[in-house]
PDB file of all heavy atoms in Angstrom:
ATOM      1  N   VAL C 126      -2.911  43.907  68.528  1.00 58.00           N
ATOM      2  CA  VAL C 126      -3.733  43.041  67.660  1.00 58.00           C
ATOM      3  C   VAL C 126      -2.954  42.556  66.490  1.00 58.00           C
ATOM      4  O   VAL C 126      -3.198  41.428  66.158  1.00 58.00           O
ATOM      5  CB  VAL C 126      -5.061  43.869  67.235  1.00 58.00           C
ATOM      6  CG1 VAL C 126      -5.875  42.915  66.207  1.00 58.00           C
ATOM      7  CG2 VAL C 126      -5.877  44.128  68.534  1.00 58.00           C
ATOM      8  N   ALA C 127      -2.238  43.469  65.952  1.00 51.00           N
ATOM      9  CA  ALA C 127      -1.401  43.022  64.699  1.00 51.00           C
ATOM     10  C   ALA C 127      -0.518  41.859  65.109  1.00 51.00           C
ATOM     11  O   ALA C 127      -0.345  40.916  64.411  1.00 51.00           O
ATOM     12  CB  ALA C 127      -0.592  44.190  64.197  1.00 51.00           C
ATOM     13  N   ILE C 128       0.158  41.997  66.136  1.00 54.00           N
ATOM     14  CA  ILE C 128       1.109  40.794  66.605  1.00 54.00           C
ATOM     15  C   ILE C 128       0.295  39.562  66.957  1.00 54.00           C
ATOM     16  O   ILE C 128       0.565  38.503  66.629  1.00 54.00           O
ATOM     17  CB  ILE C 128       1.940  41.347  67.887  1.00 54.00           C
ATOM     18  CG1 ILE C 128       2.926  42.362  67.357  1.00 54.00           C
ATOM     19  CG2 ILE C 128       2.722  40.141  68.406  1.00 54.00           C
ATOM     20  CD1 ILE C 128       3.609  43.041  68.527  1.00 54.00           C
ATOM     21  N   LEU C 129      -0.851  39.737  67.709  1.00 55.00           N
ATOM     22  CA  LEU C 129      -1.661  38.653  68.005  1.00 55.00           C
ATOM     23  C   LEU C 129      -2.171  37.909  66.681  1.00 55.00           C
ATOM     24  O   LEU C 129      -2.303  36.665  66.687  1.00 55.00           O
ATOM     25  CB  LEU C 129      -2.874  39.145  68.714  1.00 55.00           C
ATOM     26  CG  LEU C 129      -3.697  38.171  69.643  1.00 55.00           C
ATOM     27  CD1 LEU C 129      -2.843  37.501  70.569  1.00 55.00           C
ATOM     28  CD2 LEU C 129      -4.819  38.790  70.264  1.00 55.00           C
ATOM     29  N   ARG C 130      -2.555  38.638  65.650  1.00 56.00           N
ATOM     30  CA  ARG C 130      -3.028  37.963  64.418  1.00 56.00           C
ATOM     31  C   ARG C 130      -1.932  37.192  63.907  1.00 56.00           C
ATOM     32  O   ARG C 130      -2.066  36.108  63.342  1.00 56.00           O
ATOM     33  CB  ARG C 130      -3.548  39.078  63.414  1.00 56.00           C
ATOM     34  CG  ARG C 130      -4.833  39.685  63.838  1.00 56.00           C
ATOM     35  CD  ARG C 130      -5.497  40.492  62.532  1.00 56.00           C
ATOM     36  NE  ARG C 130      -4.481  41.399  61.975  1.00 56.00           N
ATOM     37  CZ  ARG C 130      -3.981  41.080  60.749  1.00 56.00           C
ATOM     38  NH1 ARG C 130      -4.264  39.986  60.155  1.00 56.00           N
ATOM     39  NH2 ARG C 130      -3.199  41.972  60.232  1.00 56.00           N
ATOM     40  N   ARG C 131      -0.698  37.651  64.001  1.00 53.00           N
ATOM     41  CA  ARG C 131       0.521  36.958  63.272  1.00 53.00           C
ATOM     42  C   ARG C 131       0.689  35.627  64.074  1.00 53.00           C
ATOM     43  O   ARG C 131       1.023  34.543  63.443  1.00 53.00           O
ATOM     44  CB  ARG C 131       1.609  37.825  63.344  1.00 53.00           C
ATOM     45  CG  ARG C 131       1.639  38.760  62.227  1.00 53.00           C
ATOM     46  CD  ARG C 131       2.432  40.131  62.487  1.00 53.00           C
ATOM     47  NE  ARG C 131       2.526  41.080  61.327  1.00 53.00           N
ATOM     48  CZ  ARG C 131       1.400  41.750  61.046  1.00 53.00           C
ATOM     49  NH1 ARG C 131       0.276  41.746  61.678  1.00 53.00           N
ATOM     50  NH2 ARG C 131       1.460  42.661  59.976  1.00 53.00           N
ATOM     51  N   VAL C 132       0.577  35.667  65.533  1.00 52.00           N
ATOM     52  CA  VAL C 132       0.852  34.517  66.166  1.00 52.00           C
ATOM     53  C   VAL C 132      -0.278  33.562  65.894  1.00 52.00           C
ATOM     54  O   VAL C 132      -0.181  32.269  65.718  1.00 52.00           O
ATOM     55  CB  VAL C 132       0.850  34.881  67.731  1.00 52.00           C
ATOM     56  CG1 VAL C 132       0.828  33.571  68.503  1.00 52.00           C
ATOM     57  CG2 VAL C 132       2.051  35.769  68.063  1.00 52.00           C
ATOM     58  N   TRP C 133      -1.631  34.013  65.799  1.00 50.00           N
ATOM     59  CA  TRP C 133      -2.629  33.130  65.405  1.00 50.00           C
ATOM     60  C   TRP C 133      -2.498  32.414  64.112  1.00 50.00           C
ATOM     61  O   TRP C 133      -3.044  31.322  64.011  1.00 50.00           O
ATOM     62  CB  TRP C 133      -3.945  34.110  65.493  1.00 50.00           C
ATOM     63  CG  TRP C 133      -5.278  33.395  65.181  1.00 50.00           C
ATOM     64  CD1 TRP C 133      -5.926  33.353  63.944  1.00 50.00           C
ATOM     65  CD2 TRP C 133      -6.115  32.607  66.150  1.00 50.00           C
ATOM     66  NE1 TRP C 133      -7.097  32.534  64.119  1.00 50.00           N
ATOM     67  CE2 TRP C 133      -7.306  32.184  65.333  1.00 50.00           C
ATOM     68  CE3 TRP C 133      -5.991  32.259  67.434  1.00 50.00           C
ATOM     69  CZ2 TRP C 133      -8.223  31.415  65.879  1.00 50.00           C
ATOM     70  CZ3 TRP C 133      -6.965  31.529  68.002  1.00 50.00           C
ATOM     71  CH2 TRP C 133      -8.092  31.073  67.185  1.00 50.00           C
ATOM     72  N   ASP C 134      -1.987  33.090  63.146  1.00 55.00           N
ATOM     73  CA  ASP C 134      -1.780  32.466  61.906  1.00 55.00           C
ATOM     74  C   ASP C 134      -0.890  31.238  61.865  1.00 55.00           C
ATOM     75  O   ASP C 134      -0.840  30.439  60.908  1.00 55.00           O
ATOM     76  CB  ASP C 134      -1.241  33.515  60.898  1.00 55.00           C
ATOM     77  CG  ASP C 134      -2.366  34.460  60.472  1.00 55.00           C
ATOM     78  OD1 ASP C 134      -3.603  34.270  60.787  1.00 55.00           O
ATOM     79  OD2 ASP C 134      -2.071  35.650  59.999  1.00 55.00           O
ATOM     80  N   PHE C 135       0.010  31.237  62.874  1.00 54.00           N
ATOM     81  CA  PHE C 135       0.985  30.070  62.986  1.00 54.00           C
ATOM     82  C   PHE C 135       0.448  28.836  63.601  1.00 54.00           C
ATOM     83  O   PHE C 135       0.977  27.878  63.639  1.00 54.00           O
ATOM     84  CB  PHE C 135       2.208  30.467  63.687  1.00 54.00           C
ATOM     85  CG  PHE C 135       3.145  31.373  62.896  1.00 54.00           C
ATOM     86  CD1 PHE C 135       3.317  32.754  63.170  1.00 54.00           C
ATOM     87  CD2 PHE C 135       3.896  30.703  61.840  1.00 54.00           C
ATOM     88  CE1 PHE C 135       4.190  33.489  62.359  1.00 54.00           C
ATOM     89  CE2 PHE C 135       4.752  31.425  61.114  1.00 54.00           C
ATOM     90  CZ  PHE C 135       4.921  32.841  61.443  1.00 54.00           C
ATOM     91  N   ILE C 136      -0.850  28.912  64.252  1.00 54.00           N
ATOM     92  CA  ILE C 136      -1.444  27.870  64.793  1.00 54.00           C
ATOM     93  C   ILE C 136      -1.940  26.839  63.796  1.00 54.00           C
ATOM     94  O   ILE C 136      -2.664  27.257  62.839  1.00 54.00           O
ATOM     95  CB  ILE C 136      -2.673  28.284  65.682  1.00 54.00           C
ATOM     96  CG1 ILE C 136      -2.133  29.174  66.831  1.00 54.00           C
ATOM     97  CG2 ILE C 136      -3.330  27.065  66.292  1.00 54.00           C
ATOM     98  CD1 ILE C 136      -3.249  29.804  67.669  1.00 54.00           C
ATOM     99  N   PRO C 137      -1.704  25.521  63.849  1.00 53.00           N
ATOM    100  CA  PRO C 137      -2.056  24.596  62.802  1.00 53.00           C
ATOM    101  C   PRO C 137      -3.651  24.471  62.640  1.00 53.00           C
ATOM    102  O   PRO C 137      -4.318  24.666  63.668  1.00 53.00           O
ATOM    103  CB  PRO C 137      -1.529  23.238  63.399  1.00 53.00           C
ATOM    104  CG  PRO C 137      -0.431  23.628  64.251  1.00 53.00           C
ATOM    105  CD  PRO C 137      -0.777  24.982  64.864  1.00 53.00           C
TER     106      PRO C 137
END
Side-chain angles (χ1 to χ4, degrees):
V126 172
I128 293 170
L129 195 61
R130 287 197 309 106
R131 283 153 176 75
V132 173
W133 179 260
D134 287 342
F135 280 108
I136 299 174

